[in-house]
Amino acid sequence: MKGREGEHWTVDDVLAELRSSGSDTNRAGMARFGIEIDQAFGVPMSVLRPLAKEIGRSPELARELWATGFHEARLLAILLTPAKAMTSEQALTWLEDIGSWDLCDQLTNILARRADSNALVPKLALDEREFVKRAAFALIAWRAVHAKKAPDAEFLEDLELIRKASSDGRNFVWKAVHWALRQIGKRSAQLHGPALALALELQASDDKTTRRVGKEAVKELDSEKVRRRLGLLSR
């Protein structure tokens, strides 16, 4: 690995590192998990995260890496971009290029750390492109974890978006929808009740996908483990 203190990394340096770190075995594994591999080297996140740390935060290099179109270069681009530099405009531009759930989730994980990122949720939820719509609910899920100062009222508003999207049967959408619902319900004792009530409502739906979303959420939110953690059961 290059990465000596103060040494400048170029796009060519990074691509060379990625090529040497990839493998066909890892590419096959990525494909099994529904990740596009046409422009992938087969480098796992266990390698990418230390590499990103070695390179250091660099929004400029990140934009150059994103432009290469290589899958792992784009994952690195996300990791190299500080939350304060991940503007809504940049996130929307990058989402236009995304065709894999891992890129979507990594991008929204960074974006969720911005205080103003909740403003993007309704816009993304109305977009019918699979990974853009997934981004809406991945962003809700990540904000439920990272946005410590956000009011509960924000997430109560998100429940209606979850209800409306619960019948979307596309694999990468419905999974993000129940992820968002579960994370809201686990965020606080005050949100647990409304989230569980919605999950129970969805579980009773005549729609197959909606029932599945509700069932997955109820399974976790109604568990003793979650109730106890939120102080809803005596210890």
Side-chain angles (χ1 to χ4, degrees):
M1 187 176 288
K2 192 174 180 175
R4 292 186 293 273
E5 185 69 25
E7 188 167 1
H8 177 68
W9 285 77
T10 67
V11 170
D12 289 341
D13 293 332
V14 176
L15 293 181
E17 191 73 37
L18 293 175
R19 288 191 180 94
S20 67
S21 301
S23 73
D24 289 338
T25 299
N26 286 332
R27 289 180 79 249
M30 292 166 66
R32 284 195 299 274
F33 280 95
I35 297 171
E36 290 186 344
I37 60 171
D38 289 349
Q39 290 186 285
F41 299 112
V43 184
M45 288 301 293
S46 60
V47 172
L48 292 176
R49 289 191 185 281
L51 179 57
K53 186 175 181 180
E54 191 74 27
I55 294 170
R57 298 296 179 88
S58 175
E60 296 78 17
L61 178 59
R63 287 191 287 272
E64 293 181 58
L65 287 170
W66 190 272
T68 69
F70 290 109
H71 188 80
E72 290 89 346
R74 286 182 166 176
L75 283 171
L76 265 182
I78 294 167
L79 296 175
L80 295 180
T81 304
K84 63 182 180 181
M86 182 63 74
T87 63
S88 296
E89 292 74 22
Q90 179 167 320
L92 288 170
T93 298
W94 283 8
L95 276 170
E96 295 283 334
D97 298 329
I98 285 178
S100 284
W101 63 267
D102 59 335
L103 282 168
C104 175
D105 293 0
Q106 290 295 332
L107 178 59
T108 50
N109 186 13
I110 300 299
L111 186 61
R113 299 165 195 269
R114 289 185 60 95
D116 59 350
S117 62
N118 62 307
L120 278 179
V121 170
K123 175 184 177 71
L124 297 175
L126 288 173
D127 197 305
E128 287 305 314
R129 289 172 293 180
E130 185 171 10
F131 291 103
V132 179
K133 193 168 186 178
R134 178 185 175 89
F137 299 97
L139 184 53
I140 292 171
W142 285 126
R143 281 188 61 81
V145 175
H146 298 311
K148 304 297 186 184
K149 296 181 179 180
D152 282 349
E154 171 191 321
F155 298 97
L156 288 173
E157 292 175 3
D158 291 333
L159 292 178
E160 184 57 30
L161 295 176
I162 288 170
R163 177 186 281 107
K164 289 179 179 178
S166 65
S167 61
D168 192 320
R170 290 175 293 179
N171 188 50
F172 295 114
V173 176
W174 81 264
K175 287 185 175 180
V177 172
H178 82 70
W179 176 25
L181 180 53
R182 290 186 292 108
Q183 291 303 121
I184 289 174
K186 292 188 295 181
R187 178 179 167 90
S188 70
Q190 291 70 35
L191 287 171
H192 179 268
L196 179 57
L198 176 57
L200 289 166
E201 174 192 325
L202 300 181
Q203 184 177 239
S205 172
D206 292 333
D207 182 83
K208 179 180 178 181
T209 301
T210 301
R211 283 200 309 275
R212 192 174 187 184
V213 168
K215 181 180 178 181
E216 292 294 330
V218 168
K219 185 190 306 181
E220 184 169 15
L221 296 181
D222 205 27
S223 68
E224 180 180 344
K225 179 181 178 181
V226 169
R227 287 181 176 276
R228 194 173 299 282
R229 184 176 65 79
L230 293 174
L232 299 172
L233 289 177
S234 58
R235 295 185 180 274

